[in-house]
Amino acid sequence: MNRKQKMIKKTAKRAKARLNKHTPPTIKKYVSKAERAEQQAKLEAEAAAQAAEGALESTTETVADATSEQEATPAS
C-alpha cells in the first residue's frame, strides 16, 4: 500500500469508529461475598416479615368471619 492509501484507510477507520460509539458497562462495582450475604439476609427477613403479616391477616379474617357468623345466627 502506498502512503495515500494508508491515510485513506486510517480516516475511514476513524469515521467508522465515530459512528460506533461505545457505551460504558452498567456494572457498578465488585460486590464482596459478605455484602452479598448481607443483602440475601435482608431479603429473607423482608420475605419472612411479609409472610408473618399475611398469616396474621388471614387469622384475623377467619376470626372476624367466625364472630360475624355467630352474631348472624340467633342464640337458642
Side-chain angles (χ1 to χ4, degrees):
M1 256 191 227
N2 61 24
R3 189 172 183 189
K4 188 174 185 181
Q5 288 173 328
K6 285 182 184 179
M7 293 297 287
I8 291 170
K9 187 176 181 181
K10 193 176 271 190
T11 55
K13 249 185 171 177
R14 288 178 184 161
K16 186 177 179 185
R18 280 189 212 109
L19 295 176
N20 299 329
K21 298 219 181 222
H22 175 70
T23 56
T26 57
I27 298 171
K28 304 288 187 219
K29 65 171 188 154
Y30 173 76
V31 180
S32 70
K33 199 176 206 181
E35 289 175 347
R36 280 184 271 150
E38 186 177 308
Q39 290 174 353
Q40 184 66 27
K42 283 181 183 178
L43 289 173
E44 289 174 358
E46 289 175 4
Q50 288 178 353
E53 287 177 8
L56 181 63
E57 289 176 3
S58 65
T59 56
T60 56
E61 287 175 1
T62 55
V63 169
D65 291 340
T67 56
S68 64
E69 288 177 7
Q70 289 175 358
E71 291 173 358
T73 57
S76 344

